[in-house]
Amino acid sequence: MKTLPDPSGPATGTAAQARRAPRGVPGTWRLAVGPYAVLVPRKPLLGTAAVLVVLIAASGVHLAVGEIFVHPLDALRALAGEGTPRDVLVVERLRLPRLQAGLAVGAALGAAGCLMQTLAQNRLATPDTVGLNDGAAAFAVASVTGISTGLLPSAAALTGAATAAALTLALSGGAGRGGYRFLVVGLGVGAVFGAVTSLVLARSAADAANAAYGWTVGTLNGRDQGTVSLLAVALLLALPLGMVLGRRLLLLRLSDSVASGLGVRVRALRLAVIAVAVVLGGLAVAVAGPLGMIALAAPEAARRIAGPRAVPVLLSALAGALFTLLADLVGRTVLAPLEVPVGLVTAVVGGPYLIWLLLTTRTRRSL
């Protein structure tokens, strides 16, 4: 009689290595350390590296180009505190804080947009379209014009974003599968807050309305560095968490019952994703005001680079930072010395893109 090996017994060295070290599959790289190995998707990794290189180059151009041109090598020396006083003043005092704000705001909006679009399975579900921007703008304008209870504009904007998100969730019953109810309710909440902003501005004095103007269009000029630092810390914490949650969101493309059968706590996962997206989107608006279209366009570009099967949170963040820097550069240089707020640039460029997206969504694959 032939004796079969006991499956519950200790594994041989070859069998153990086979279980621990997956074999390579097409489209991936196999990274192995001893008996352990992981498979890294090749296309998303190359795309992330390419966008990162372009983002670094765009950051250098952002520091060098403007109403006063600084040679890129002089700009690097000025970052180290060397060079002429003029270069140090222009690069360190004027452009570097603006660059930091643009990178942080764009990355936060890109990551938040990717998470919300994937959760709602709808390309239009972003902080722009579910009322966060309008809620933040309404509270910030109220703070600047003296109607609120004394909150600083950045803190008021974050409060407004959280309030808009809570209202949208409560009225829609959550961002369930499909997300259309969540999206439509968010549009309504955003419209209400937009009307509140217009009413507050209409009843304010001219000086107060001018002071609040930046919070209605979105700008990176003269931003509060304390809020920028807070957003940078939030990014360091939220981006890794968002990448982990993004991998779990892939299972929600199946039905909820199948995802639950695979061990996913669907409701808890949705709430966690919404919380991360609201924190990122709210802090971004608290820094720069309502910056439209970044959260819509960056995830779309990231998915085109990484492929439809991925949830490219990190790549969306890099693309969002890149788009924000380019938009700010255009706003600073095209009509110089007149400066166009970055929010107006993204709206002008993003409007036609949104129309194209609406006209072609039905004929394209879903998330």
Side-chain angles (χ1 to χ4, degrees):
M1 181 176 179
K2 186 176 180 181
T3 302
L4 297 176
D6 182 6
S8 62
T12 64
T14 304
Q17 288 183 5
R19 285 203 302 268
R20 292 172 181 171
R23 300 172 67 90
V25 297
T28 65
W29 278 319
R30 181 176 178 273
L31 303 180
V33 177
Y36 302 99
V38 294
L39 297 177
V40 180
R42 190 179 306 166
K43 189 175 179 181
L45 184 62
L46 290 175
T48 301
V51 174
L52 182 60
V53 170
V54 176
L55 178 60
I56 293 173
S59 299
V61 175
H62 192 275
L63 288 176
V65 177
E67 188 176 356
I68 299 176
F69 177 76
V70 179
H71 192 281
L73 294 180
D74 294 335
L76 291 177
R77 281 195 288 269
L79 284 178
E82 302 175 354
T84 65
R86 188 205 70 159
D87 291 347
V88 173
L89 173 65
V90 171
V91 174
E92 267 198 350
R93 301 291 181 85
L94 300 179
R95 292 179 185 168
L96 182 59
R98 193 166 182 146
L99 172 68
Q100 294 169 336
L103 289 173
V105 168
L109 290 176
C114 179
L115 289 173
M116 295 195 72
Q117 288 180 0
T118 307
L119 176 67
Q121 299 184 35
N122 193 311
R123 285 181 168 82
L124 302 178
T126 66
D128 314 12
T129 55
V130 299
L132 263 67
N133 283 2
D134 294 296
F139 274 61
V141 168
S143 174
V144 173
T145 54
I147 295 179
S148 74
T149 57
L151 286 174
L152 294 174
S154 297
L158 183 59
T159 305
T163 302
L167 280 175
T168 303
L169 282 172
L171 295 176
S172 64
R177 188 176 182 83
Y180 292 105
R181 182 181 177 88
F182 181 70
L183 177 60
V184 172
V185 171
L187 290 172
V189 170
V192 171
F193 278 117
V196 170
T197 301
S198 300
L199 178 63
V200 170
L201 288 175
R203 295 182 61 84
S204 301
D207 293 342
N210 288 332
Y213 174 72
W215 291 101
T216 63
V217 296
T219 178
L220 298 177
N221 187 27
R223 297 297 91 184
D224 178 27
Q225 284 301 302
T227 312
V228 175
S229 301
L230 180 61
L231 176 56
V233 172
L235 275 171
L236 291 177
L237 298 176
L239 271 182
L241 179 59
M243 294 168 66
V244 173
L245 294 175
R247 292 178 64 87
R248 305 289 287 176
L249 281 177
L250 285 173
L251 296 176
L252 292 188
R253 291 176 178 177
L254 310 171
S255 66
D256 288 356
S257 58
V258 173
S260 298
L262 293 174
V264 177
R265 299 173 62 186
V266 175
R267 182 176 176 81
L269 176 61
R270 284 184 172 138
L271 290 177
V273 170
I274 290 172
V276 172
V278 167
V279 169
L280 289 176
L283 282 174
V285 179
V287 171
L291 214 64
M293 298 299 170
I294 298 296
L296 183 69
E300 181 71 14
R303 273 190 294 272
R304 286 178 174 271
I305 296 173
R309 289 182 295 179
V311 181
V313 178
L314 178 59
L315 187 52
S316 297
L318 294 176
L322 177 61
F323 290 167
T324 303
L325 287 191
L326 294 178
D328 187 51
L329 186 62
V330 170
R332 286 195 296 117
T333 57
V334 169
L335 299 178
L338 176 65
E339 179 177 322
V340 180
V342 61
L344 292 182
V345 177
T346 58
V348 170
V349 176
Y353 169 75
L354 178 60
I355 295 173
W356 171 81
L357 191 63
L358 288 171
L359 293 177
T360 58
T361 292
R362 289 183 179 180
T363 62
R364 300 170 62 181
R365 62 184 184 276
S366 60
L367 287 174

